[in-house]
Amino acid sequence: MRLTANFNLSEFQCKCGCEMTRSVMENVFRLADTLQFLRFRTQSRVNINSSYRCEEHNKSIGSKSTSQHVLGKAADITVEGMTPEEVATLIERLMAEEVLSSGGVGRYNTFTHIDMRGRNARWDNTAK
């Protein structure tokens, strides 16, 4: 099922293959719109490494129970032609300019976390 011009529902689904609830699906639609805007802004492919995770899958990979992924509000992404640092900096700027809704931005060595929690949260898990 196509959610936006460049994103399909399958890209957001839990890796375990479970079904999303209606409330999770509503959040995924909003997240897809945000990632679509990011794609238009960068004119580059946005790859989703991980998005929605059911509680069981989230726990099995050692993620926190408070993860926005469980709500369908988060994605771990890469953007072609950009480093994770550049992606995080761009997202933070767009949130500061209120072009994107406030949310979480996590910096990692190989990807950037973005979420739509409705308030700013920032963290850096890169190896220095």
Side-chain angles (χ1 to χ4, degrees):
M1 167 191 226
R2 185 164 295 282
L3 301 181
T4 68
N6 297 101
F7 293 103
N8 291 312
L9 179 60
S10 62
E11 296 174 89
F12 294 86
Q13 291 177 322
C14 184
K15 303 285 188 217
C16 80
C18 66
E19 299 254 346
M20 292 181 194
T21 64
R22 182 179 188 89
S23 63
V24 166
M25 183 71 85
E26 290 170 2
N27 291 334
V28 165
F29 278 115
R30 287 191 293 275
L31 180 59
D33 286 341
T34 297
L35 296 181
Q36 185 65 53
F37 177 81
L38 188 60
R39 188 189 189 292
F40 285 144
R41 187 65 171 248
T42 62
Q43 290 297 297
S44 297
R45 181 178 171 86
V46 175
N47 300 301
I48 300 171
N49 300 336
S50 178
S51 187
Y52 169 65
R53 300 180 196 141
C54 68
E55 290 181 20
E56 294 80 18
H57 181 68
N58 196 59
K59 185 177 180 181
S60 76
I61 63 168
S63 187
K64 296 179 182 177
S65 61
T66 56
S67 171
Q68 296 294 303
H69 288 275
V70 175
L71 303 173
K73 292 184 176 185
D76 298 334
I77 63 170
T78 60
V79 177
E80 286 187 7
M82 296 178 74
T83 67
E85 180 71 21
E86 291 169 332
V87 174
T89 299
L90 173 62
I91 293 169
E92 287 175 340
R93 191 180 88 236
L94 294 172
M95 287 180 176
E97 294 171 358
E98 298 182 356
V99 175
L100 291 180
S101 299
S102 58
V105 179
R107 295 167 186 265
Y108 295 84
N109 290 327
T110 59
F111 65 90
T112 305
H113 170 96
I114 181 173
D115 70 52
M116 312 314 302
R117 69 182 65 202
R119 61 179 172 75
N120 287 337
R122 303 289 183 266
W123 62 95
D124 187 342
N125 283 359
T126 57
K128 303 280 182 184

